Amino acid sequence: MTTVTVGAARGAMRAPGPRGPLSARVLPVLAAAPDTVPEDDRAALLVAAREAVASTTDLLRDDDVQLTLFVLYELHYRGVAGVDDRWEWDPDLLRARAVLEDAFERVLRGRVETPTGVPADRRAVADALFAMTAPGPGPSLARFVGRRATRDQLDELLVHRSVYQLKEADPHTWAIPRLEGGAKAALVEIQADEYGGGAPERMHCELFAVAMRGAGLDATFGAFVDQVPAVTLASVNAMSLLGLHRRLRGAITGHLAAFEMTSSLPNRLYGDGFRRHGLGPDTTWYFDEHVEADAVHEQIAGRDLAGGLAEQEPALVPDILFGAAVCLYLDELVAAHVLDAWEHGRSSLREAA
Amino acid sequence: MTTTQPATPPEGAAPRPDRFAPPRIVACPDGPILVRGDVEIVDDEGRPLPRRRRTVALCRCGSSAIAPYCDGTHKAIGFTTS
């Protein structure tokens, strides 16, 4: 086998184990240099993607599809250890990914409900987003964590979150060059704060790493991917899907708005859960920071970013609301999965491979 | 902060903004007050309060647990400004 020296960049995640026929087909191909892979193996990627999509019963809970998408998207972020960086723009790989993405987007559009008849007006769009994200009285993962979660369950929460929060903000940053004017300035203002306002130790991804280490967990990106279920990966993959396609720029801004609007109050409760178990201010800094930061970001995201974009590009209003609905829907799916496992005394994670 | 005279714009050009925009306060409908720019935030005895970010949101509903900053509680209590 060819020794691959590229694709081992700092921060590249460890290659996860396969979860079915598709990932079992894709991962070994990625381990080879692109110019050494035979045509038959390249052609098999597309076939395997089509078969995975055709045979799945629930794409959002399909471990094989969501893990494959997660790995393929990671090629656009920090890479995967042992995977040649040239795979990022390999046409055969992109063709296979497009099959998964088309199905993923179709499922999301079919499942989420978005308000209709919202005018392309900044106040109306912000109001619609705040209404969609209004705190509800129903069961909530944050309330469970704040009051009842065991110490082990706190670790599980961090493990689920780690597949996004150790690269927090990155998927939404893809949208910056796709926007202009006030909407762009608003996104940059939010992201600059996410990235620590110029102080690397204050970057939100770094605060999350501090929280993980405070809890005694490995804060290397991707260290726990093998343990994270499909629904959690789907919630991260959705951000990459919306962020990487300029066509979906409205949706990624709506996603960010909903994300920020559902953050301050839950993060207070998450912090309470960690304090309840005696974890110190280093560990809870991440959560405390989000209580304050996201109360700022939600205003900017709802009014200047999403509302501003709606006025610039009125045709994007339905997608702005779609992106917000995707965020809420997948958050709920993850929360329901975790709460169901915990209520039945099970782990919400997969057995480590 | 030192103040500098902005360069005189060429004839017919739109006036250029000052190098530093003046502080700006935004009253968000049904929400907090956003403060951008070079403003000192102090307590009632004039002692500076921690300011951890360039743009801050000041509580307007009176129920924030991290006053004077907003923590989103206005949404949970149905606070309105109209």
Side-chain angles (χ1 to χ4, degrees):
Chain A
M1 197 182 122
T2 318
T3 307
V4 178
T5 50
V6 284
R10 186 182 147 82
M13 79 166 182
R14 181 170 71 80
R19 299 192 189 180
L22 174 63
S23 45
R25 176 69 71 177
V26 170
L27 291 168
V29 166
L30 291 178
D35 46 12
T36 66
V37 175
E39 277 306 315
D40 285 358
D41 287 358
R42 289 179 157 273
L45 295 171
L46 184 61
V47 175
R50 285 183 179 145
E51 281 172 1
V53 165
S55 65
T56 192
T57 51
D58 183 351
L59 195 87
L60 305 183
R61 290 185 174 81
D62 188 308
D63 271 301
D64 197 22
V65 169
Q66 295 299 339
L67 176 80
T68 303
L69 263 179
F70 189 81
V71 170
L72 295 181
Y73 282 141
E74 200 49 37
L75 298 176
H76 293 292
Y77 295 94
R78 311 282 289 283
V80 180
V83 174
D84 192 310
D85 286 339
R86 287 175 293 175
W87 279 116
E88 179 185 359
W89 295 107
D90 183 272
D92 288 320
L93 206 55
L94 293 176
R95 201 170 288 125
R97 193 187 82 191
V99 169
L100 307 180
E101 289 184 305
D102 285 351
F104 190 24
E105 184 181 347
R106 205 163 47 241
V107 168
L108 291 172
R109 289 201 185 268
R111 291 228 200 141
V112 305
E113 282 178 37
T114 52
T116 51
V118 176
D121 162 273
R122 52 184 282 133
R123 178 72 193 266
V125 168
D127 284 350
L129 291 168
F130 278 115
M132 288 170 77
T133 57
S140 124
L141 180 58
R143 273 196 289 275
F144 189 101
V145 169
R147 291 174 198 159
R148 290 171 57 195
T150 65
R151 182 65 187 75
D152 285 348
Q153 288 169 340
L154 296 184
D155 283 352
E156 283 187 33
L157 179 79
L158 292 174
V159 165
H160 281 282
R161 300 288 150 117
S162 70
V163 288
Y164 170 59
Q165 254 92 18
L166 291 173
K167 63 174 178 188
E168 185 166 338
D170 288 347
H172 303 101
T173 300
W174 297 121
I176 292 174
R178 283 121 189 222
L179 302 180
E180 62 174 23
K184 182 185 209 129
L187 181 53
V188 171
E189 185 179 29
I190 294 167
Q191 299 302 81
D193 201 36
E194 294 280 341
Y195 292 127
E201 70 280 4
R202 294 189 64 96
M203 292 172 67
H204 286 180
C205 56
E206 181 51 34
L207 298 187
F208 193 79
V210 168
M212 288 192 82
R213 288 191 285 266
L217 296 172
D218 185 350
T220 309
F221 180 75
F224 294 104
V225 169
D226 284 327
Q227 286 173 251
V228 167
V231 277
T232 305
L233 297 178
S235 70
V236 187
N237 288 338
M239 292 186 233
S240 298
L241 170 73
L242 305 183
L244 282 167
H245 294 267
R246 185 172 57 83
R247 169 177 70 83
L248 298 171
R249 63 197 175 283
I252 192 66
T253 62
H255 185 286
L256 180 60
F259 201 96
E260 301 288 358
M261 288 172 179
T262 50
S263 177
S264 287
L265 297 169
N267 271 299
R268 146 77 31 129
L269 294 167
Y270 291 137
D272 287 346
F274 285 81
R275 277 182 283 274
R276 186 164 51 78
H277 281 281
L279 289 151
D282 273 4
T283 311
T284 58
W285 183 12
Y286 173 86
F287 303 103
D288 299 337
E289 159 70 9
H290 280 75
V291 172
E292 184 184 318
D294 293 348
V296 179
H297 298 176
E298 68 178 4
Q299 298 298 333
I300 303 169
R303 301 175 196 288
D304 303 326
L305 173 58
L309 180 61
E311 292 197 345
Q312 288 172 351
E313 299 194 70
L316 294 183
V317 169
D319 260 9
I320 291 170
L321 301 173
F322 165 66
V326 165
C327 175
L328 300 171
Y329 181 79
L330 292 173
D331 265 9
E332 262 174 44
L333 224 54
V334 173
H337 166 84
V338 172
L339 283 175
D340 182 62
W342 290 355
E343 300 280 7
H344 291 88
R346 296 192 312 266
S347 167
S348 61
L349 300 173
R350 303 172 76 239
E351 300 269 318
Chain B
M1 194 163 63
T2 55
T3 49
T4 51
Q5 275 308 108
T8 314
E11 195 89 22
R16 288 186 206 170
D18 286 350
R19 188 160 161 226
F20 294 105
R24 175 172 277 210
I25 290 173
V26 184
C28 298
D30 303 336
I33 291 170
L34 289 191
V35 180
R36 290 187 180 88
D38 191 18
V39 174
E40 216 181 348
I41 299 173
V42 299
D43 68 12
D44 62 345
E45 293 180 38
R47 289 174 301 213
L49 292 166
R51 177 155 174 188
R52 288 174 283 265
R53 61 200 72 256
R54 288 172 62 87
T55 303
V56 294
L58 296 178
C59 172
R60 191 146 53 136
C61 74
S63 295
S64 173
I66 57 166
Y69 300 116
C70 171
D71 69 355
T73 300
H74 58 272
K75 297 187 292 181
I77 62 171
F79 170 75
T80 56
T81 51
S82 52

